[in-house]
């Protein structure tokens, strides 16, 4: 099993910044990628950004140029630096880790951290 613990959420004014952290522990070998998803009230959970074990990144269009995902392999931690925040970024942000192979995929999730951006 993989345990993911998020931190860094909070309340910020529009235009401000926050940095989310996600620390992974447990059976973390062969984790292929980690990332962040978010879910706003009344909406489906959506992908925000992912980073592979090799460092390749992917972002949803709405956060490109504002958010940066990074990882510290020595600390088994992934970060999401969020700049120029907008009210529409308000959501619960979830850390995700994926272990996959040719025939399987296991997703692990953190408990979520609230990000609220006031206008």
């Amino acid at each position: 099993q993989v345990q993911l613990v998020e931190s860094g959420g909070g309340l910020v004014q529009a235009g401000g910044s926050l940095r989310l952290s996600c620390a992974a522990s447990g059976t973390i070998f062969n984790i292929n990628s980690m990332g962040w998803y978010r879910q706003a009230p009344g909406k489906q959970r959506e992908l925000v950004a992912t980073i592979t074990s090799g460092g390749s990144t992917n972002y949803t269009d709405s956060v490109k140029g504002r958010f940066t995902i990074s990882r510290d392999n020595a600390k088994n931690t992934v970060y999401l630096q969020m700049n120029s925040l907008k009210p529409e970024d308000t959501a619960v942000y979830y850390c995700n880790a994926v272990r996959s192979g040719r025939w399987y995929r296991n997703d692990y999730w953190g408990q979520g951290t609230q990000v609220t951006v006031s206008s």
Side-chain angles (χ1 to χ4, degrees), residues 92-114:
V92 178
Y93 283 69
Y94 295 91
C95 181
N96 168 262
V98 176
R99 177 185 291 124
S100 64
R102 185 175 181 182
W103 306 110
Y104 69 95
R105 173 184 171 123
N106 298 125
D107 281 76
Y108 303 92
W109 296 94
Q111 79 285 357
T113 185
Q114 177 71 46

Side-chain angles (χ1 to χ4, degrees), residues 7 14 20 37 55 74 77 81 104 114 116 118:
S7 60
L20 306 183
Y37 288 69
T77 299
Q81 178 66 44
Y104 69 95
Q114 177 71 46
T116 303
S118 63

Side-chain angles (χ1 to χ4, degrees), residues 17-63:
S17 298
L18 283 174
R19 188 175 84 152
L20 306 183
S21 299
C22 173
S25 61
T27 310
I28 59 175
F29 67 90
N30 287 345
I31 293 295
N32 305 97
S33 69
M34 296 185 70
W36 293 93
Y37 288 69
R38 66 186 180 187
Q39 187 167 18
K43 294 187 177 181
Q44 290 188 334
R45 189 174 297 189
E46 64 171 353
L47 180 148
V48 177
T50 60
I51 185 167
T52 68
S53 57
S56 297
T57 59
N58 179 53
Y59 298 91
T60 192
D61 286 346
S62 62
V63 308

